[in-house]
Amino acid sequence: MQTGSCLCGKVAFTIEGDLTPPNACHCGQCRRQSGHLWASTVTHEDNLSFTAQETLGWYHASDIAKRGFCSACGSFLFWQHNDEDTIAISVGSLDEPTGLKLAQHIFVADKGEYYDIMDDLPQRAQ
């Protein structure tokens, strides 16, 4: 079992089951919402349960997906495609140790000009 929360703790959750190796997303939406790139892991939505969710809000950032956040502290916590039964969870919101290691960079075609990707992990344009 893995646990996690937002910065203020008003959104807290547990995850039962496997988590995928995380991706670092460099798309414009993730960079704007998080302030930089966004690293996330994925699990089946049934594996996620909330121990606190009084300030959980959802923003429909596009026609295909929504983004979950804490309306009190602003933490960007989740990303979910409208037509899928999985959910991406911010790796930074997870309590350590996670046992996770970054697997790849995605949407590097949209990467910010102010930084370079300096590791040897795979990079996907989209």
Side-chain angles (χ1 to χ4, degrees), residues 1 15-16 29 50 61 72 76 87-88 91 96 105 107 119-120 124:
M1 179 177 69
I15 305 162
E16 297 285 346
Q29 284 190 0
F50 292 93
F76 171 28
I87 188 164
V91 176
E96 293 185 339
H105 297 273
F107 290 94
D119 59 36
D120 294 328
R124 293 181 37 210

Side-chain angles (χ1 to χ4, degrees), residues 80-102:
Q80 188 169 33
H81 192 283
N82 295 339
D83 298 327
E84 295 178 8
D85 57 3
T86 57
I87 188 164
I89 301 164
S90 170
V91 176
S93 69
L94 300 176
D95 297 326
E96 293 185 339
T98 65
L100 299 172
K101 296 289 183 195
L102 194 63

